[in-house]
Amino acid sequence: MHREQLHEKVCHHLQTIYADVSLSMPVGQLAETLMDTIGLHRDDDITPPAPHSNQWNEEDVVMITYGDSVVREAEHPLKTLDHFLHTYCRNTINKVHILPFFPYSSDDGFSVIDYSSVNESLGDWDDIESLSKDYGLMFDLVINHCSARSGWFDNFIKNDGPGSDFFYTASPSDDLSMVTRPRVSPLLRETQCEDGVKYVWCTFSHDQVDFDFRNPKVLIAFVEIIRLYIDKGAKLFRLDAVAFLWKVIGTNCINLPQTHEMIRLLRTLIEHVDPGIIIITETNIPNRENLTYFGNANEAHAIYNFSLPPLLVNTLVTGDCTYLKNWMMSMPPAQNGTTYFNFIASHDGIGLRPAEGLLSDEEISTLVHSMQRFGGKVSWRSSDHGQQKPYEINITLFEACQGTNKGPDKFQVDRFICAHAIMLGMEGIPGLYIHSLVGTGNDYEKVANTGQNRSINRKRWDFDELAALLDSPYSQHHKVLTRLSQLIRIRKAQRAFHPNATQYTLQLGEAVFGYWRQSLDRKQSVFCVSNISDTEQAVLLSDINLIGTDHWIDLISRAPIDNLSNFLQLKPYQTVWISNQDWE
């Protein structure tokens, strides 16, 4: 009986998505095809997933990495990555986001040539499946576009075979003035095909050609890909650039209702195959729009907290947490079955669109200037009025923390650790970029070699060179990894740091940022308090509102907090996690 109900639900999704499209097959037939393709066959016992179920807890920490961020001669980089994880991330990392590891032609993997195979330069499916035995793996589903060198696009040009009708085209005479663009390249790519010139839609670059999901064959192809990835060990799916998926001429072509319904459809299919799989939407857009991807706990399980990186970096370089605090108070608690994915560094830069409406243009300009002073680059986009606006800052987080708006200073490591301490205690699942974990600096050589600003934060480490630095107690890399590993291990032991535990923002002035977390069973409280300035700060313990009958301890330093009428002295960029000791 449940299969009939599931079929009805899938049909409802499809009717909503394709309401304005003439389909080549009945909706019921398409629903059956999708269910069979994902592996929900007629004779299967299909159990609906429990609603509002959290498939995560405080022990979940994700490392974000390329398949070849660490390499060693005569070894598949994916095997080297496995060795790195076992050597340096034991008892800290339990989930790994391996950025696109498929054959590609540009954008460091996000211009996929073949979705069904592993890039030979990285390894093979056996290497992926080996990693999946020890870590929950996040796979990228690069769903908006593929490489112009893919077999599908070759068939599009030839007008023959699979892919011949997979791509979105428009006319230069169409009104495209409202289309939201993340890049400055022309939107349409003139392409000579067997049946004439066509103008192919390219949201990101002319090597990244956009799919036309009005054609249900594209949807079927991606459901086949999803099934393959599940079979190969995927436990998290990152839907890359999904906000741009559906296009309607005359609109802004971003966040359209059909896009949201498509995500709901994919969730319905995936969670009936494995209710433990998590869907994360990568939507680098203003904060209020980003929040819509939770749906009503029926869309993304998790959304990237894109506003956190620019707001946190701005906080640390200005010594003023006002904007971060105001934003945090405005963020709705994620209901059970949904959560935030927190990160402060990634393979991309520090996105500035999610700061729009939170920071003024002048404040963004000051932030950009400071990051350029620290060796950062800037990527630009065209605004709705054709103006050039900064789209993201390209810099490693370690270098972004080298000083304040006044210039570089001696607090780089402490400021960097403070940033992570704030992120690790927050509501949500934390994600740490491998280059933050090991304190990597700006890679200017790679920028020069590729001509791409984003390469500044995509260094490829020789494993033996990195290992020597990580094993040396005097290197910045050793200090960073040691201190971050300590924070992660502490985090994983606290029930108050469950991604859905209660969070309340504290009011401790401009220079001190704080929030309170309480475990779901209400037995443990942790007060997370950080000095985000370059001068010592004194906080009256009574202002934090610690309960006098409890015993309190700083989980990081292990120092007891005794006299609650005293002041708490915080060194520049020091964080304390004050917990009641009877939480166990």
Side-chain angles (χ1 to χ4, degrees):
M1 180 63 181
H2 180 261
R3 193 180 196 285
E4 294 175 9
Q5 294 171 338
L6 176 59
H7 182 267
E8 185 178 333
K9 185 176 183 181
V10 172
C11 285
H12 174 75
H13 290 309
L14 294 171
Q15 287 163 349
T16 303
I17 294 166
Y18 294 107
D20 299 323
V21 177
S22 297
L23 291 176
S24 57
M25 66 177 79
V27 163
Q29 181 184 342
L30 177 56
E32 282 291 344
T33 300
L34 293 173
M35 291 171 68
D36 285 342
T37 301
I38 199 75
L40 299 169
H41 303 295
R42 288 172 180 79
D43 55 351
D44 286 349
D45 181 20
I46 301 172
T47 304
H52 300 286
S53 177
N54 295 325
Q55 304 298 329
W56 45 79
N57 61 33
E58 62 274 13
E59 296 184 17
D60 289 320
V61 179
V62 180
M63 187 181 82
I64 305 162
T65 181
Y66 282 102
D68 60 355
S69 289
V70 285
V71 296
R72 189 155 54 182
E73 192 173 348
E75 182 176 67
H76 282 171
L78 289 170
K79 283 189 169 65
T80 308
L81 174 62
D82 198 0
H83 184 61
F84 171 84
L85 286 162
H86 279 93
T87 305
Y88 294 106
C89 302
R90 192 177 298 276
N91 302 321
T92 54
I93 301 299
N94 70 337
K95 290 181 166 52
V96 182
H97 173 200
I98 308 175
L99 290 154
F101 48 80
F102 319 106
Y104 71 96
S105 56
S106 64
D107 199 16
D108 279 358
F110 286 93
S111 186
V112 179
I113 292 175
D114 178 8
Y115 288 84
S116 63
S117 62
V118 176
N119 188 337
E120 290 182 357
S121 68
L122 300 177
D124 53 33
W125 280 121
D126 287 343
D127 296 320
I128 294 293
E129 291 182 74
S130 178
L131 280 161
S132 73
K133 293 173 183 175
D134 296 314
Y135 305 95
L137 294 187
M138 188 192 301
F139 283 33
D140 277 286
L141 192 68
V142 185
I143 195 169
N144 178 70
H145 53 262
C146 73
S147 169
R149 288 175 48 195
S150 66
W152 283 342
F153 197 65
D154 284 345
N155 289 343
F156 172 82
I157 292 172
K158 292 185 291 188
N159 194 31
D160 182 50
S164 60
D165 51 359
F166 274 23
F167 298 94
Y168 197 96
T169 60
S171 167
S173 62
D174 289 333
D175 181 7
L176 306 176
S177 60
M178 292 177 62
V179 176
T180 298
R181 295 302 316 286
R183 301 288 186 272
V184 295
S185 58
L187 176 62
L188 300 182
R189 164 190 161 135
E190 183 177 336
T191 304
Q192 182 66 52
C193 302
E194 287 290 328
D195 52 343
V197 172
K198 295 181 181 177
Y199 294 89
V200 181
W201 195 285
C202 298
T203 298
F204 291 90
S205 79
H206 282 192
D207 186 51
Q208 293 166 296
V209 284
D210 283 33
F211 291 110
D212 186 356
F213 272 87
R214 295 174 302 179
N215 179 357
K217 286 189 285 186
V218 177
L219 173 59
I220 294 168
F222 269 94
V223 172
E224 288 177 355
I225 292 164
I226 289 169
R227 179 70 240 191
L228 171 67
Y229 292 175
I230 292 173
D231 291 340
K232 297 300 184 182
K235 285 298 181 184
L236 303 94
F237 280 98
R238 176 185 182 272
L239 305 188
D240 177 64
V242 71
F244 300 96
L245 185 75
W246 198 271
K247 289 89 172 166
V248 175
I249 302 297
T251 73
N252 61 5
C253 297
I254 188 171
N255 307 321
L256 296 186
Q258 296 92 331
T259 294
H260 285 282
E261 195 66 36
M262 189 71 76
I263 298 168
R264 294 183 195 118
L265 167 64
L266 294 179
R267 172 167 173 165
T268 295
L269 293 170
I270 290 169
E271 69 183 4
H272 280 82
V273 173
D274 183 347
I277 290 177
I278 299 168
I279 295 172
I280 302 181
T281 50
E282 187 270 330
T283 46
N284 192 354
I285 52 180
N287 191 55
R288 291 186 67 176
E289 297 170 28
N290 193 26
L291 289 168
T292 64
Y293 283 86
F294 276 143
N296 295 313
N298 62 348
E299 203 164 322
H301 295 95
I303 61 173
Y304 275 73
N305 228 340
F306 274 109
S307 295
L308 178 60
L311 287 180
L312 185 50
V313 171
N314 184 71
T315 293
L316 293 168
V317 299
T318 61
D320 184 345
C321 66
T322 301
Y323 294 106
L324 180 63
K325 190 164 52 180
N326 290 343
W327 166 77
M328 199 170 197
M329 288 189 292
S330 74
M331 293 293 283
Q335 59 180 302
N336 284 329
T338 66
T339 191
Y340 294 104
F341 184 71
N342 296 324
F343 74 105
I344 49 178
S346 74
H347 62 289
D348 291 338
I350 300 169
L352 294 175
R353 282 211 73 206
E356 292 175 10
L358 302 172
L359 298 175
S360 69
D361 287 348
E362 183 180 352
E363 286 157 335
I364 289 175
S365 178
T366 300
L367 176 62
V368 166
H369 177 75
S370 291
M371 294 301 103
Q372 289 176 311
R373 192 175 179 183
F374 299 157
K377 309 287 185 182
V378 181
S379 295
W380 301 86
R381 70 177 180 91
S382 295
S383 71
D384 295 340
H385 305 292
Q387 297 171 311
Q388 297 292 291
K389 297 190 71 172
Y391 173 73
E392 70 180 12
I393 301 165
N394 304 112
I395 191 170
T396 70
L397 184 62
F398 186 74
E399 298 297 0
C401 290
Q402 66 178 264
T404 67
N405 287 342
K406 296 177 287 188
D409 58 29
K410 63 182 181 180
F411 297 116
Q412 183 173 15
V413 173
D414 291 333
R415 189 179 287 111
F416 181 76
I417 298 300
C418 178
H420 285 88
I422 290 172
M423 186 264 287
L424 284 166
M426 286 176 59
E427 173 190 1
I429 300 170
L432 286 88
Y433 190 35
I434 186 172
H435 290 304
S436 292
L437 202 60
V438 300
T440 304
N442 292 336
D443 191 342
Y444 299 111
E445 184 178 351
K446 191 164 187 178
V447 172
N449 289 339
T450 65
Q452 301 295 320
N453 286 348
R454 284 180 167 179
S455 295
I456 201 169
N457 197 17
R458 299 179 180 181
K459 182 178 176 66
R460 183 178 296 152
W461 277 105
D462 174 78
F463 178 85
D464 295 328
E465 177 191 357
L466 178 59
L469 291 168
L470 293 176
D471 295 341
S472 168
Y474 304 105
S475 77
Q476 72 185 35
H477 310 282
H478 173 87
K479 292 173 183 175
V480 164
L481 179 64
T482 300
R483 292 179 65 179
L484 287 182
S485 297
Q486 178 207 16
L487 287 176
I488 293 169
R489 283 192 290 267
I490 294 170
R491 174 209 157 78
K492 290 164 72 83
Q494 316 307 319
R495 283 178 290 174
F497 287 152
H498 186 286
N500 293 86
T502 298
Q503 179 171 285
Y504 182 84
T505 308
L506 304 176
Q507 304 298 320
L508 301 172
E510 293 181 356
V512 179
F513 179 68
Y515 51 90
W516 168 65
R517 303 294 310 280
Q518 184 183 56
S519 60
L520 296 174
D521 61 10
R522 300 188 179 183
K523 291 183 178 179
Q524 186 191 16
S525 284
V526 178
F527 291 85
C528 305
V529 181
S530 299
N531 178 0
I532 52 84
S533 77
D534 57 4
T535 58
E536 188 167 310
Q537 300 293 324
V539 180
L540 194 59
L541 283 167
S542 59
D543 287 347
I544 300 176
N545 203 24
L546 305 181
I547 299 172
T549 54
D550 282 358
H551 299 286
W552 299 93
I553 188 172
D554 172 21
L555 296 170
I556 298 174
S557 69
R558 306 306 300 170
I561 309 295
D562 293 325
N563 189 343
L564 300 189
S565 63
N566 282 350
F567 282 92
L568 177 67
Q569 298 291 336
L570 292 175
K571 297 175 183 176
Y573 306 105
Q574 181 184 356
T575 294
V576 292
W577 286 344
I578 303 173
S579 175
N580 50 338
Q581 290 181 286
D582 59 356
W583 61 271
E584 293 181 335

